[in-house]
Amino acid sequence: MAKFIIEGGKRLIGEALISGAKNSVLPILAATVINGNTSTIFNSPNLRDVDTMEDILRSIGCKVNRVDNMVYVDSKPLNKIRIPEELVREMRSSIIFLGAMLARCGEVEISYPGGCEIGPRPIDLHLKSLRKLGAHIDESHGFLYCKAENLKGCEIQLDYPSVGATENIMMVAVKAKGTTIIRNAAREPEIVDLQNYLNSSGARICGAGTSVIMVDGVDNFQSVEHTIIPDRIVAGTCMVASAITGGEIVLKNIEVEHIQSIIAKLREAGCMVYNNCTSLKIIGPRRPNAVESIQTLPYPGFPTDMQAQMMALLSIANGTSIISETIFQNRFKHVEELLRMGANIKTVEKVAVIKGVTELTGAKVSAKDLRGGASLILAGLVAKGTTEVNNIFHIDRGYDQLEKVLQSLGADIKRI
Ligand code: UD1
């Protein structure tokens, strides 16, 4: 099994190009089934989750080709309505096929996603909303059997601005008769990207990026070309790499507007950040300041996907910081690994209290989930001695050769 070996203590300096967003490309690849035509997707990151998504598309009859960062999907030949269970298990976010397949075929069978590394991933909001749009959904033996002969637009008030539920509703609503209004919709940039992709292929959606989204159903869709937005979490992770090593990094191909909450917390931690709209320079402090409070929240709040990386940084801060994880229940698995490296962190339910130490020491640690794994690499960059990060398949799910990016900035990291 592959692992990363990191020799800590190198100050990272240089320029990094940020890849396309995983959380954008995955729902958009699922949405390619809707148009029954071709989709050419540019700026796709090369990730294990993207491979899985392509495998799902092939398994239901679509033609898929990838050349570097371009993915081509022809969904005309789609001829199956059952999503293979083993692929759903590999990637919980495959639940976004529910809406996409209902829109295309009026029918889908998919296994229930169940829990995952970061805790239970309920889909009650997805199911309630799709039923309101006219879908009949039977749940039995861990499978969902969904059918919809008459999808009809309606008004949906989400109890929580769930990203996945908002995406599933949008995908069904583009084909439903009449108008759908989603209130308390998720406002993440990836929702805007999905809107832009769907509109380019003929859908009529407006309001993405605000908490009210309106969708007018249409019958005809066309082939489409679309470029995926930059990954705000990869950008944030590289920013922490600069912050934690007292480095000086320039990031290119980013949307600065998407990472304002991360910039704000890194400035509180003592970083200097200079930016225009699409690039940014971040200079790390000699030692980070503690940050009084970080609370993960739906966008535009601080992203749950940056919680672990920020914790790695604060573990060497001057003073005590508090992080509250309000989105997922089980998202502190990196804590026990950071403790092995000498961090001083206590957690009570969804709150972590981080007392900054002057030095982390290299250790043999294990990635328990994607972002937690990234936090261990970051800690390894500053730790004294050698850090060995195991189970890095979690990290490969969401970072396109992170070690290459870090090496180009001067880090001593090897994949073995
Ligand atoms: C979440 C993140 C998203 C991130 C993605 C990948 C938020 C709000 N969402 O999206 O930014 O890109 O993970 O890591 O930060 N929930 C229910 N019932 C449902 C759906 C969700 O109770 O039917 C709850 C979840 O348990 C969770 C919260 O709502 O506590 C947010 O879930 P949701 O936004 O749907 O998660 P993802 O779409 O996975």
Side-chain angles (χ1 to χ4, degrees):
M1 275 245 214
K3 56 189 171 191
F4 286 130
I5 305 287
I6 307 158
E7 296 297 333
K10 296 268 188 314
R11 193 172 167 244
L12 299 201
I13 296 172
E15 212 174 276
L17 204 62
I18 299 304
S19 54
K22 161 183 170 287
N23 292 331
S24 241
V25 75
L26 297 179
I28 286 175
L29 283 176
T32 60
V33 303
I34 296 174
N35 68 0
N37 242 308
T38 64
S39 299
T40 311
I41 310 296
F42 299 104
N43 200 32
S44 168
N46 285 315
L47 304 172
R48 206 160 62 88
D49 276 4
V50 174
D51 296 339
T52 308
M53 197 46 108
E54 291 177 4
D55 288 343
I56 293 179
L57 288 167
R58 285 191 193 98
S59 76
I60 52 176
C62 298
K63 217 176 119 197
V64 185
N65 276 322
R66 173 148 36 132
V67 182
D68 298 329
N69 297 101
M70 192 269 287
V71 186
Y72 169 89
V73 183
D74 182 356
S75 64
K76 212 174 300 148
L78 187 148
N79 57 7
K80 290 195 186 65
I81 54 137
R82 190 184 176 106
I83 312 292
E85 191 178 353
E86 63 281 7
L87 296 175
V88 175
R89 288 202 184 286
E90 223 170 275
M91 191 183 55
R92 304 288 169 189
S93 55
S94 47
I95 196 66
I96 35 193
F97 268 102
L98 202 56
M101 289 292 283
L102 272 178
R104 170 71 190 274
C105 310
E107 206 173 348
V108 58
E109 287 177 27
I110 189 166
S111 69
Y112 206 88
C116 72
E117 311 91 35
I118 56 176
R121 286 221 162 159
I123 53 165
D124 52 315
L125 300 175
H126 304 231
L127 301 186
K128 190 175 158 192
S129 309
L130 299 188
R131 284 185 171 121
K132 207 163 179 209
L133 282 154
H136 299 282
I137 305 174
D138 284 333
E139 301 167 65
S140 75
H141 303 293
F143 264 83
L144 295 163
Y145 300 89
C146 315
K147 223 172 171 158
E149 268 141 31
N150 265 321
L151 291 168
K152 249 180 106 183
C154 63
E155 299 199 11
I156 294 171
Q157 172 77 39
L158 283 174
D159 294 333
Y160 186 90
S162 153
V163 175
T166 303
E167 289 165 346
N168 259 328
I169 299 166
M170 285 166 75
M171 292 201 220
V172 171
V174 295
K175 275 278 189 87
K177 284 240 160 344
T179 303
T180 299
I181 301 175
I182 315 169
R183 297 206 166 82
N184 198 24
R187 290 180 285 167
E188 270 68 0
E190 293 78 21
I191 301 283
V192 180
D193 210 22
L194 179 63
Q195 167 181 281
N196 292 342
Y197 163 81
L198 287 168
N199 282 351
S200 303
S201 75
R204 289 178 57 195
I205 310 173
C206 64
T210 75
S211 50
V212 182
I213 297 177
M214 267 178 66
V215 187
D216 282 325
V218 295
D219 291 325
N220 295 317
F221 289 84
Q222 68 241 9
S223 291
V224 55
E225 290 188 355
H226 180 81
T227 301
I228 298 294
I229 57 170
D231 196 310
R232 60 197 169 99
I233 306 304
V234 173
T237 304
C238 290
M239 289 167 76
V240 174
S242 182
I244 207 165
T245 62
E248 187 169 335
I249 295 182
V250 174
L251 300 181
K252 294 271 167 82
N253 185 33
I254 55 169
E255 277 292 338
V256 170
E257 195 47 40
H258 296 169
I259 52 175
Q260 290 296 346
S261 62
I262 304 171
I263 293 175
K265 287 300 165 190
L266 287 172
R267 282 195 170 127
E268 273 182 58
C271 297
M272 288 195 284
V273 181
Y274 309 94
N275 64 273
N276 56 36
C277 296
T278 58
S279 76
L280 165 157
K281 181 182 204 173
I282 172 162
I283 303 174
R286 277 167 69 91
R287 185 178 180 196
N289 306 324
V291 173
E292 209 172 295
S293 163
I294 295 182
Q295 195 178 19
T296 62
L297 287 170
Y299 187 86
F302 190 87
T304 175
D305 281 351
M306 278 300 299
Q307 177 257 108
Q309 300 91 313
M310 207 60 196
M311 191 181 292
L313 175 69
L314 297 176
S315 68
I316 55 155
N318 187 6
T320 300
S321 310
I322 296 179
I323 296 184
S324 315
E325 171 57 64
T326 77
I327 311 285
F328 291 111
Q329 265 176 35
N330 201 4
R331 216 169 186 182
F332 283 149
K333 286 191 178 163
H334 44 283
V335 170
E336 59 184 288
E337 305 301 303
L338 290 171
L339 294 180
R340 296 163 81 94
M341 299 178 72
N344 182 350
I345 304 167
K346 289 204 170 53
T347 58
V348 182
E349 294 178 357
K350 289 180 165 189
V351 177
V353 178
I354 305 122
K355 279 196 178 151
V357 295
T358 48
E359 190 175 81
L360 293 174
T361 43
K364 196 170 165 178
V365 289
S366 176
K368 302 286 166 66
D369 58 52
L370 163 56
R371 307 302 172 185
S375 78
L376 301 177
I377 294 181
L378 294 168
L381 293 176
V382 71
K384 194 166 173 216
T386 309
T387 299
E388 179 180 318
V389 183
N390 290 282
N391 282 341
I392 61 173
F393 61 90
H394 285 298
I395 302 170
D396 290 335
R397 278 189 42 225
Y399 292 92
D400 187 349
Q401 304 192 73
L402 183 57
E403 78 277 19
K404 294 253 163 74
V405 178
L406 296 174
Q407 280 161 2
S408 74
L409 297 167
D412 186 345
I413 174 169
K414 285 188 211 73
R415 179 187 289 262
I416 293 187

